[in-house]
Amino acid sequence: MTATIERPAPKRASVPPSRFRPADVIGVATDGLTHRKVRTVLSAVGITIGIAAMVAVLGLSESSRADLSNQIEELGTNLLTVEATTGLGAGDASLPDDAAAKLGVIGPVEVVSDVVTLDELPLRNDVMSDNETKGLSAVAADTDLLDTLRAEVAVGRWLDDTTSTVPTVVLGSVAAERLAIDDVDDGAMITIGDEWFTVIGILDEFPLSENLDRSVFIGRDVAADVFESELSPSVIYVRTDPESVDDVRAVAAATADPQSPDEVSISRPTDALEAQEAADSAFTSLFLGLGAVALLVGGIGIANVMVIAVIERRNEIGLRRALGATRAHIRRQFLVEALLLSSLGGAAGVGLGAAVTALYADIEGWEVVIPPIALIGGFAAAVAIGALAGLYPAMRAARLAPTEALRS
């Protein structure tokens, strides 16, 4: 009987599993983008514009808001202006001569100053003809007006107890520019009415009063003696205890003019800045919406480019699958390409938006303020858009069968 010898079956060579390390993913994805440079750049432009718009809007909004806040801080929220109401039923639209003195006795009031506009007094110098006014007006002012308004002298000095009694004048910033006077050392002079006045000072811009910037200031004593003007206040400025602004505002009208309190207007100059800040916030939301639309369009552009890339690279996908690449590898490759593309646009957009903010803020004389959320959030938004835009093309590429891809 012959014994049967069983031979062991030959061992099959084990095939190591396909590996796709992170460095390999980035390398393959980068290679896919660099082989189509023009398309890559054009696709990233949409993301760049959207992110740049959002960063610039947030940066300019914060820079503008910081400038407004600085103005409010310099001016102080405790300044009130008292004026006679003009319009129908407003009487003679003037305040009593002693209105400022009455307001000064209110407990929380710290300092009071008034100005008196001298009507129908022409201003002239060598650069102005007899028929020109250039929008300037003569104003009689208290010596403590600058302290009340927290204004500054740019050149020369302000009126004091001595210069208020002699024919000297201090120019507002706009008045000095229109009169072509930028120095007081050479004894520059102007005429108010028929009287000559020596210029002793030029003021910086007032924070919120363009009228005062266009004024020339003389002392109250000179106004009374030389022009025989009635010193009925045109505007009274009241600086109060910051904690008692509303209380003072409630009684100021009746105190200034007990006979006709309804004909007295009380306002707080910083209200205009706060209203401007609110308006800026509304515009910020609008422009952020426009930036979001641009970002969405950029994301759609990336999705479109990636879909075209999948169609064009079917042979590559089939070959990679035939050589052992898994569906996950293909999906990861195209998803990373979309992320790199959007990251490129996001980084460029953040840089462009920051540059635009810095340039415009410098032109406007603002402090450059770019909130970190704009930089970090802008880049993160670009990456998120890239992930969403690349998800469908990546899944579509992964679903391709090797034989089908190679046959195409």
Side-chain angles (χ1 to χ4, degrees):
M1 186 173 180
T2 305
T4 302
I5 300 175
E6 294 182 359
R7 295 181 179 180
K11 295 182 178 180
R12 294 182 179 180
S14 60
V15 179
S18 177
R19 293 186 301 169
F20 204 31
R21 295 170 297 182
D24 298 329
V25 179
I26 295 176
V28 172
T30 302
D31 186 65
L33 294 177
T34 54
H35 277 74
R36 300 166 180 82
K37 295 183 177 65
V38 175
R39 183 185 298 176
T40 297
V41 172
L42 293 177
S43 301
V45 165
I47 295 291
T48 299
I49 293 174
I51 296 300
M54 298 178 74
V55 171
V57 166
L58 289 173
L60 291 175
S61 175
E62 289 300 316
S63 298
S64 174
R65 187 174 291 111
D67 183 67
L68 288 175
S69 297
N70 290 336
Q71 290 187 45
I72 291 174
E73 183 177 352
E74 291 176 4
L75 183 62
T77 57
N78 61 332
L79 178 67
L80 299 175
T81 60
V82 181
E83 300 177 79
T85 302
T86 58
L88 185 63
D92 58 2
S94 63
L95 295 170
D97 294 351
D98 59 351
K102 291 178 179 178
L103 290 169
V105 302
I106 300 176
V109 171
E110 297 174 350
V111 62
V112 178
S113 298
D114 64 11
V115 294
V116 181
T117 302
L118 306 178
D119 297 325
E120 300 179 359
L121 287 178
L123 305 173
R124 291 187 300 275
N125 70 345
D126 295 339
V127 301
M128 293 178 63
S129 67
D130 292 346
N131 297 323
E132 284 186 300
T133 63
K134 293 191 175 182
L136 307 182
S137 59
V139 170
D142 289 334
T143 57
D144 53 1
L145 178 65
L146 296 193
D147 293 334
T148 305
L149 296 181
R150 296 180 182 173
E152 300 289 339
V153 176
V155 179
R157 56 179 175 149
W158 175 244
L159 300 169
D160 55 30
D161 292 339
T162 300
T163 55
S164 293
T165 61
V166 294
T168 57
V169 64
V170 177
L171 307 180
S173 58
V174 175
E177 179 181 352
R178 294 180 181 177
L179 291 168
I181 297 175
D182 57 10
D183 191 7
V184 298
D185 293 334
D186 56 358
M189 301 185 71
I190 66 172
T191 60
I192 302 177
D194 295 325
E195 302 293 330
W196 284 95
F197 284 75
T198 302
V199 179
I200 62 171
I202 299 172
L203 302 179
D204 279 330
E205 292 183 3
F206 284 92
L208 280 178
S209 181
E210 296 181 357
N211 290 335
L212 294 183
D213 288 333
R214 296 193 297 267
S215 300
V216 296
F217 300 91
I218 64 175
R220 293 173 63 88
D221 293 337
V222 171
D225 295 342
V226 175
F227 301 114
E228 299 180 354
S229 299
E230 295 183 1
L231 300 182
S232 174
S234 301
V235 183
I236 302 175
Y237 299 96
V238 181
R239 182 76 65 176
T240 75
D241 179 356
E243 302 296 328
S244 304
V245 174
D246 291 335
D247 295 335
V248 173
R249 189 173 188 172
V251 302
T255 303
D257 191 352
Q259 302 298 322
S260 304
D262 293 339
E263 297 178 4
V264 179
S265 170
I266 311 296
S267 62
R268 188 169 63 168
T270 51
D271 289 344
L273 288 179
E274 293 171 354
Q276 181 180 345
E277 186 172 349
D280 288 345
S281 298
F283 279 109
T284 297
S285 300
L286 173 62
F287 287 120
L288 279 178
L290 295 176
V293 170
L295 189 59
L296 177 61
V297 172
I300 294 173
I302 288 180
N304 183 51
V305 167
M306 294 306 301
V307 168
I308 295 174
V310 170
I311 295 173
E312 290 179 343
R313 296 160 63 184
R314 292 167 67 93
N315 287 338
E316 175 193 334
I317 295 170
L319 181 60
R320 290 176 59 79
R321 289 297 310 279
L323 293 176
T326 66
R327 291 178 183 272
H329 294 166
I330 300 299
R331 184 167 53 247
R332 199 177 307 157
Q333 171 190 343
F334 282 91
L335 185 58
V336 170
E337 281 191 27
L339 288 173
L340 288 177
L341 186 56
S342 62
S343 297
L344 176 64
V350 167
L352 178 60
V356 169
T357 300
L359 177 62
Y360 190 84
D362 182 67
I363 293 174
E364 294 293 327
W366 299 343
E367 176 186 359
V368 179
V369 180
I370 303 177
I373 187 63
L375 303 177
I376 300 173
F379 185 78
V383 173
I385 287 292
L388 293 174
L391 187 60
Y392 170 72
M395 294 176 64
R396 178 173 176 175
R399 286 197 299 265
L400 288 175
T403 54
E404 179 186 349
L406 287 172
R407 187 169 55 249
S408 64

